[in-house]
Structures are given as C-alpha cells and as structure tokens.
Amino acid sequence: MRTVIKNGRVVTAVDDYNADILIEDGTIAMIGKSIDADADRVIDAKGRLVIPGGIDPHTHMELPFGGTSASDTFETGTRAAAFGGTTTIIDFAVQYKGQTLQEAVDAWHAKADGKTSIDYGFHLICTDFPDERLGEMRRMIDQGVSSFKLFMAYPGVFLVDDGTIYKAMRTAGENGGLICMHAENGVVIDVIVKQAIAAGKTAPKYHALTRPTKAEAEGVHRAIALAEIANTAVYIVHLSCDDALQEVTRARDMGVPAFAETCPQYLFLDYSVYEQPGFEGAKYVMTPPIREKWNQEKLWRGLQFNDLQVVSTDHCPFCFKEQKELGKDDFSKIPNGGPGVENRMSLVYNGGVASGRISVNRFVEIVSTNPAKIFGLFPKKGTIAVGSDADIVIFDPNEEFTISAKSHHMNVDYSCYEGWKVKGATKTVLSRGELVIDEGKYVGRTGYGSFLKRGLAFSPR
Ligand SMILES: [Zn+2]
C-alpha cells in the first residue's frame, strides 16, 4: 500500500517546508520536493499543515473512580482522539491494593485490546509497592510499560508514602523507567475537605477552595527533592498553577531533570467556572482544580521557555447527568475529571499559534514530539521523518469551528468549551499510513490500533 501526500506544508518540532511525502507499508518512505511515484492513494494537502499525529500521554479511558467509571471506553475515546488529531494515547493502568503489577497491566490490556482506532501505550499507577514488588518494575519496563505514576493525593485510595516514592524512583531510575507524580499534599487537603463538609460547604466550588495552590507546590517541591535524592528524573503530571511551576522552574535552573505537563483546562479556564449557578460547577471538578485566571499566562510562559514540556489532557470524562450528580449534596463525592482528548490540538493551536504565543514548531513539540521523546516512543512516533510511523495529521490552520457537546465525539454529555470558536481544525488523520479520519469523517476501524511497547523513558543521566 502506497500513499502520497502532496503539496502540504510539513511542520515538525524543528522544520517547516513544502514537500510531498511517500508512505509505504505504514511508514514514511520518502520526503521530497515533488514525488511522482505510483500510489494507491493521493492526498492533496495544499494550504494545509502536515504534522506528526498528536500524542496525548495522559488519558483515563473507562477508569473506575468514586463508584462509577469514566464514560469514554477505549473504543469511543480513541475514536474521539482521532477526530481531534491525536494518533497515540498513553493511558494509565491501575494497580489496586493486593494486585501484582502484572495483574494490573493485564487488566488494562484486556480493556484496550481490539478496541482502539489508534495506537496506545500504558503507564502504570502503583498503589501497593512493598519491597518484593520492586523487581517486578523491571519486568514491566521490559514489556514496554516504562513509566509509573505515584500519588501524593487521595489517602486510602491512591496515596503512597514518601519512602515508597523514594524506593520506586530509585528502582525506576536504575532501570530506565520514569516516575510520573500526582503532586499535591493530599493528607492536608483531606483535612481541609472534611472541615469544609462539616461546615456545610458542599457546593462544587468548594472542590477548588479546599485544594490550595500551595498544596500542589509543596507536592511538586517534595517530588523533585525525592527525585534528586534518588538521583533520577521526575515528570510532574497536570501542573495547574504558578506556585507549582515556580518549583519546576527553580529545579530546572539548577540543572535538575524535572519535567512537567500542563493541560488545556489550566491554560484556558479559570476559577469563575465554579461560580456558575446551580450545579454547573461540577462539570469542572477535576484535580487539581481550575485556578485563578492570572495563572494562565504564567503557564504559557512556562511553555514558551521550556519549563513546561508537554500539553496533555488528563481526559477522564464523567457525564453531568447521573455521574457528576453523585456529588449533588457533597462536592467531595463528585467524580473527579473532565473530557478533553478531542479538543487538545485545536485548543492549543488556537490559543498558542493563532494567538501568537508560540511558534508552529513549538506547537508540534509540546503536543507530539516531547511526549514521544520523554516516554520512549521517538522517533517511531512524534515526528515526520524517513522511517517513522506514518502517523500524520493534515491540519487546516485557517478553518474556524465551534466546539460543542452536540458535535463532539467523546461519550459525554457536556463540553468544558461549549460554544467556543477556535481556529485550526484537524481534517485528515493517518495512523501507520491508514486513513482514520478523511476530511472530517471517521473511516477507521475499531481494533486497528495496537499496543506500543515503549522504549526506555527519557533520562539525561
Ligand atoms: Zn490523571
């Protein structure tokens, strides 16, 4: 099977030029000024950007949480991702107490196998990590699960203590793995939450008011300090605010290998979403919460100056009806999470490139190339180069469209960006050379996507 993409403007993290691309057997075979090879399919990309497929390294498809499950399955969630120009997700498998790491990964394979439209990998959330399990980490890395997430939040559910974090960091570092950290002082937050509930403060906005930015900054500081002691790198997930960013910036200025991602909800939404009437604020109950508006420009600055390297989504949707309503009388019972996997590329293009904050190269870098490099997928994924997988998005930088739950493809009954007009639209998407989205229409296949056995996670040491 040979495909030629003609007349496009090829943009990677470093290049920007007009060229044709020849795809053979799922990989990029040739890039040239004018390719006249016999092809089974010719795609005209005139006037459009030809960019590497998006990589969203933070999703939670069908995650069990708070007595319910995230409403997107691997089937619906990966289809929606493709509509939005994302061709790879890295989802979080969860080890529950008493399980081996292998049992946890096997359970996630069972959920995803044969269900996805695009390729996928797994990180592994470790919740139960006695010394005898440390050796298992090496085996997970050998199986392509080379990153692990630990929680400083959610005592009794996900939280692990500092000693465990330190041991996991050492083991991961010695074996080429990477620890991803949910950095928030969950023990203190739990006290504040209980006091709020006892005082009758039960509305959704108290989710935000009980999770101070300092609690996040303290977690980030501690995570980085523990990584330094363990002589390894650390990756901070879903960084939401300037207080936390300052900790990452300070560490990086000192030469510490600390990495961090933020998410569109922290770049585009602000605390006022919780002040909407009735129960509306529940739509935005996610952790960390949406912060005061002034943090947004600080986060953009972090992206501009590489103190933040990645924009992921933390896609974890729960329907407003019935699911979010579990917390109607108590914000602490609202399932934490929101939808986003379909909107990331257009939102970041619109708010970043079209608004003049970042270059188009930097856009590609933070939504595709950096996640590929940090999580052991580069150069198979994350760039357009001879030999790389032909995961390619043909993107119209000028088309404007309106985001709405009425037209999105995520299996959830609301959008955090309802009615927003954005510039920059995914038109056509190829995964390993096969069309998944053709001019906005789904032409892919459930079960096409395959599990990505990732290489060693990035470590500069
Ligand atoms: Zn998450």
Side-chain angles (χ1 to χ4, degrees), residues 33-245:
K33 198 103 193 95
S34 178
I35 295 176
D36 278 320
D38 281 337
D40 305 286
R41 181 193 295 131
V42 177
I43 299 171
D44 187 5
K46 195 169 169 45
R48 291 172 174 175
L49 307 183
V50 178
I51 58 178
I55 298 175
D56 187 342
H58 193 150
T59 68
H60 300 282
M61 302 305 172
E62 50 192 292
L63 173 77
F65 188 98
T68 185
S69 275
S71 56
D72 261 321
T73 60
F74 278 92
E75 179 173 357
T76 62
T78 59
R79 195 189 305 139
F83 270 105
T86 288
T87 54
T88 298
I89 61 165
I90 309 178
D91 200 85
F92 287 89
V94 183
Q95 177 215 21
Y96 295 101
K97 301 229 188 304
Q99 277 186 323
T100 64
L101 301 186
Q102 187 71 61
E103 284 167 338
V105 169
D106 287 349
W108 248 254
H109 276 301
K111 284 184 203 228
D113 187 27
K115 301 282 170 42
T116 72
S117 293
I118 55 171
D119 291 349
Y120 61 96
F122 297 139
H123 313 279
L124 177 56
I125 291 173
C126 298
T127 61
D128 187 6
F129 217 49
D131 286 351
E132 59 269 26
R133 293 251 161 78
L134 290 172
E136 243 198 305
M137 196 178 243
R138 170 80 255 173
R139 289 215 296 285
M140 297 302 106
I141 294 170
D142 288 344
Q143 291 174 23
V145 179
S146 52
S147 44
F148 305 85
K149 184 181 182 187
L150 301 175
F151 282 78
M152 293 173 155
Y154 305 118
V157 186
F158 290 131
L159 180 139
V160 289
D161 65 29
D162 291 350
T164 303
I165 292 170
Y166 170 74
K167 279 189 283 189
M169 282 176 163
R170 274 206 69 95
T171 308
E174 284 164 2
N175 292 288
L178 180 64
I179 298 294
C180 304
M181 191 62 72
H182 179 124
E184 263 192 323
N185 191 318
V187 175
V188 171
I189 287 169
D190 246 31
V191 173
I192 303 171
V193 168
K194 287 201 177 89
Q195 287 171 343
I197 300 288
K201 296 171 175 171
T202 58
K205 71 174 179 183
Y206 291 103
H207 171 74
L209 296 173
T210 53
R211 304 187 93 90
T213 56
K214 287 290 177 196
E216 184 181 346
E218 188 278 329
V220 171
H221 180 90
R222 184 158 35 107
I224 293 171
L226 293 172
E228 275 195 85
I229 299 168
N231 192 30
T232 188
V234 63
Y235 181 92
I236 308 295
V237 296
H238 51 45
L239 188 141
S240 74
C241 60
D242 184 51
D243 275 345
L245 175 59

Side-chain angles (χ1 to χ4, degrees), residues 10 23 44 55 70 81 114 147 166 242 255 311 332 404 413:
V10 178
I23 299 163
D44 187 5
I55 298 175
S147 44
Y166 170 74
D242 184 51
V311 178
S332 71
S404 172
D413 59 1

